[in-house]
Amino acid sequence: MIKTAEIFPSERKKLFDRLENKLETAYNLNRKVVSFQANKDEPVYRWFKYKEGFSSALVKYFLTKYAPKPGKVLDPFAGAGTTLFAGQELGWQSYGVELLPVGTFVMQTRQVLDKLDVEKLTIIEKGLWSEITKLKDFKNHINHISITKDAFPDETEEYLNKYLSYCSKIKDKHIETILRFAAFTVLEEISYTRKDGQYLRWDYRSKRVLPGKSFNKGRISTFKEALKSKLNKIIHDLSPTQISSLFEQFEKTNSEKKPVKIIEGSCLEELPKFENDFFDFIITSPPYCNRYDYTRTYALELVYLGYNNEQVRDLRQSMLSCTVENKEKIEFLSKFYTSIGKSEVFEEVLHVYNRSNAMMEVNAILDELNKLEKLNNSNIARMVKNYFLELCFVTYEMARITKSGGYCVMVNDNVRYGGEEIPVDLILSEFAENFGFEINKIFVLPKGKGNSSQQMGNYGRTEVRKCVYLWQKK
Ligand SMILES: C[S@@+](CC[C@H](N)C(=O)[O-])C[C@H]1O[C@@H](n2cnc3c(N)ncnc32)[C@H](O)[C@@H]1O
């Protein structure tokens, strides 16, 4: 039995008491299945680990257990496309919305795999390095932004630019994509940086003047060795003998696959474009309300893909609010719904948000803690408020576009700020009920090692829940 009820003051406690019977510890959904780690035998994810992703096994579990037959499946926060491609393998017509070009590039690469001439790639790979070394006339493709400047050793940077010039001359677009992808997957490995959630950590050998304790990331691979090794791995995995044993399902369903539709943009603007009752299933995981900054974490990849300072800043602001830098989107949303002739929807969603007593309690407590300077950052209260407000709109749209009897599965973690647990699972489920979903279950992951109460620091009374919600459209 989950024991967090005692710590919730009134409104959260009331909501907990009302929904407690929906919470169920799910021993079959361990942390591995809910994270990217179970994807090691999947094409593309084997070569690029999108650590924010969940597993194909999770998607297949829900699709096969809860849907009588394949139909249309959506992920509004598609990431690297786990829902889309796992759905496709099971015969579903898959749709995904993703804002970050990192995710859309990975998905586009995965789509190319079916058409890739692996023999041709093998021949190209053999002569590749001498071609690159010979290149005298090359363009500067990597145009750094302030947060990536000096991320690569000079020689690596020159080779990266030469490599991108070489790629741009390749006639076979599928080969070009996989070559670009191979270098994309090694950027962290060949750089002075390490991904660290809220920002990049910098190695002491970079040219940057670094404050604080010095950091040594260990051996930094040269571009040549990292690229060669990755391309050889890709070629090996795609060879006819390997592909059938490694990616069994991928191979088997190749001929009868339905195309995957990838929409690059914000789901706040893209979901309203779908008709009512369009989808049979939604499986998704939004960013968590945990200050994780995708645009900083993936800054090298964004620069590699050609994004400049302004574009990265715009991406950061368009993302679902989950960092202290996010400004509110309420005015934008109001104008947007008015522009599509649905201002009444805007009012309805706002009403549902404001009517949630647990939400109001969280906002009031965080404002109070903010005044008392008890939060690590003064924008945390704003972030939390907007995180839920934006997800309230997403939840409204998800309910509208799901068919009656269809399901929505959402993976998300609860969070804690200033010692206050924020029951993301309960608040979002309450929104969902208001928009026509029935809460079937809130599956709670069994306790993990990493966040046992001894390791929770000052506020370590209880563990915050990591959950998979299962909502069914009435
Ligand atoms: C937890 S990840 C999802 C990972 C995905 N389930 C997978 O397996 O790859 C959340 C994703 O939401 C994306 N995202 C954030 N804000 C968005 C928005 N407004 N519209 C669409 N996608 C957004 C992020 O870029 C990130 O890829």
Side-chain angles (χ1 to χ4, degrees):
M1 193 43 49
I2 290 114
K3 287 204 199 106
T4 38
E6 310 86 77
I7 66 153
F8 293 162
S10 52
E11 294 303 336
R12 283 171 291 171
K13 166 91 168 78
K14 272 191 225 157
L15 185 58
F16 180 89
D17 289 345
R18 186 168 73 73
L19 298 182
E20 188 179 4
N21 64 338
K22 305 287 182 187
L23 294 167
E24 181 180 302
T25 306
Y27 292 99
N28 56 337
L29 298 178
N30 57 32
R31 293 195 337 146
K32 195 168 163 208
V33 171
V34 173
S35 83
F36 72 97
Q37 291 165 41
N39 280 338
K40 65 177 187 334
D41 290 339
E42 294 286 324
V44 172
Y45 310 132
R46 202 173 146 74
W47 313 313
F48 180 72
K49 293 182 176 56
Y50 194 56
K51 296 203 173 78
E52 299 70 25
F54 46 46
S55 74
S56 294
L58 179 91
V59 176
K60 288 178 185 170
Y61 169 78
F62 279 103
L63 289 182
T64 41
K65 188 162 164 118
Y66 291 95
K69 59 176 182 13
K72 293 195 190 88
V73 64
L74 165 76
D75 188 344
F77 298 97
T82 316
T83 296
L84 279 59
F85 294 101
Q88 187 191 42
E89 282 175 16
L90 298 182
W92 287 70
Q93 218 175 314
S94 307
Y95 295 72
V97 184
E98 171 57 46
L99 183 67
L100 203 66
V102 170
T104 50
F105 179 61
V106 175
M107 291 192 269
Q108 281 151 5
T109 306
R110 171 132 184 190
Q111 282 187 307
V112 157
L113 290 185
D114 297 350
K115 302 155 204 146
L116 192 70
D117 183 341
V118 182
E119 268 180 44
K120 197 166 163 190
L121 178 65
T122 313
I123 296 166
I124 288 185
E125 191 283 324
K126 288 207 164 60
L128 183 87
W129 201 256
S130 70
E131 292 289 325
I132 298 169
T133 326
K134 270 195 288 191
L135 260 185
K136 292 278 169 292
D137 182 26
F138 64 93
K139 254 181 66 186
N140 232 13
H141 293 268
I142 310 269
N143 293 307
H144 280 289
I145 61 179
S146 49
I147 54 173
T148 66
K149 197 171 169 305
D150 298 324
F152 302 111
D154 291 344
E155 194 189 30
T156 296
E157 177 115 2
E158 185 176 318
Y159 276 125
L160 267 173
N161 280 315
K162 284 185 172 175
Y163 181 72
L164 287 173
S165 288
Y166 170 81
C167 288
S168 65
K169 293 192 188 99
I170 301 263
K171 297 234 163 51
D172 182 327
K173 291 295 144 202
H174 303 142
I175 301 260
E176 182 189 346
T177 302
I178 199 87
L179 288 178
R180 286 184 186 275
F181 172 76
F184 168 90
T185 68
V186 301
L187 294 174
E188 184 180 4
E189 183 184 338
I190 60 174
S191 80
Y192 289 122
T193 70
R194 176 156 308 155
K195 298 190 191 315
D196 202 13
Q198 285 171 28
Y199 52 85
L200 292 175
R201 281 187 89 183
W202 285 74
D203 185 275
Y204 73 99
R205 286 161 286 185
S206 82
K207 284 185 207 157
R208 289 209 161 191
V209 181
L210 301 162
K213 231 168 122 199
S214 98
F215 162 62
N216 179 352
K217 76 176 267 197
R219 186 165 180 281
I220 297 171
S221 307
T222 65
F223 181 49
K224 183 179 177 181
E225 64 187 346
L227 180 72
K228 233 180 158 19
S229 151
K230 188 52 66 81
L231 273 173
N232 282 327
K233 189 173 167 74
I234 294 174
I235 290 168
H236 174 261
D237 289 352
L238 291 176
S239 68
T241 47
Q242 281 299 313
I243 199 160
S244 51
S245 60
L246 255 180
F247 313 141
E248 201 186 333
Q249 193 70 27
F250 174 72
E251 179 77 335
K252 222 172 17 203
T253 52
N254 235 359
S255 50
E256 66 231 40
K257 276 181 185 170
K258 300 206 167 59
V260 159
K261 179 135 174 73
I262 301 164
I263 300 163
E264 192 162 344
S266 168
C267 60
L268 289 167
E269 289 169 78
E270 296 301 329
L271 297 189
K273 295 180 189 162
F274 287 106
E275 302 163 20
N276 291 352
D277 311 320
F278 191 72
F279 291 102
D280 302 274
F281 230 105
I282 295 179
I283 304 188
T284 195
S285 169
Y288 298 169
C289 189
N290 60 3
R291 304 183 59 182
Y292 185 91
D293 189 337
Y294 287 82
T295 55
R296 288 183 192 279
T297 304
Y298 288 101
L300 290 186
E301 288 77 7
L302 289 171
V303 163
Y304 176 84
L305 293 173
Y307 283 74
N308 64 27
N309 250 324
E310 205 182 336
Q311 290 167 314
V312 173
R313 229 180 299 130
D314 285 351
L315 278 173
R316 188 171 303 138
Q317 287 305 331
S318 307
M319 290 247 158
L320 190 85
S321 289
C322 62
T323 77
V324 289
E325 287 176 71
N326 284 109
K327 312 242 164 60
E328 60 176 31
K329 300 185 186 55
I330 190 71
E331 223 167 281
F332 160 79
L333 284 164
S334 164
K335 281 195 190 133
F336 174 74
Y337 274 95
T338 307
S339 77
I340 58 169
K342 288 190 171 179
S343 45
E344 77 290 352
V345 168
F346 176 80
E347 296 303 333
E348 182 190 339
V349 176
L350 213 56
H351 181 65
V352 164
Y353 178 86
N354 288 323
R355 212 173 53 198
S356 165
N357 291 335
M359 183 76 252
M360 293 305 111
E361 179 178 278
V362 165
N363 287 342
I365 289 180
L366 291 181
D367 280 342
E368 191 54 34
L369 288 171
N370 210 11
K371 276 191 212 129
L372 298 170
E373 299 186 359
K374 291 250 169 76
L375 297 175
N376 289 342
N377 183 294
S378 61
N379 288 331
I380 286 174
R382 177 181 77 183
M383 173 190 79
V384 172
K385 178 171 159 237
N386 290 322
Y387 178 82
F388 283 100
L389 186 59
E390 290 160 31
L391 273 184
C392 199
F393 280 90
V394 174
T395 307
Y396 164 84
E397 293 294 347
M398 291 197 303
R400 184 186 62 76
I401 61 187
T402 303
K403 282 183 194 157
S404 169
Y407 287 93
C408 173
V409 172
M410 184 183 282
V411 177
N412 206 334
D413 282 3
N414 288 357
V415 289
R416 190 194 314 262
Y417 288 107
E420 289 292 325
E421 177 161 1
I422 301 174
V424 180
D425 51 355
L426 307 181
I427 296 177
L428 292 183
S429 293
E430 190 184 32
F431 292 164
E433 282 181 315
N434 277 293
F435 296 131
F437 279 122
E438 207 162 80
I439 307 168
N440 187 307
K441 279 275 173 261
I442 299 175
F443 295 111
V444 183
L445 266 59
K447 283 185 185 199
K449 264 192 191 155
N451 51 358
S452 66
S453 46
Q454 298 95 302
Q455 290 166 294
M456 294 293 292
N458 294 345
Y459 304 115
R461 292 182 300 259
T462 50
E463 193 177 63
V464 291
R465 291 189 294 276
K466 294 172 166 293
C467 301
V468 182
Y469 329 144
L470 179 68
W471 303 331
Q472 186 173 25
K473 174 88 174 278
K474 283 187 208 147

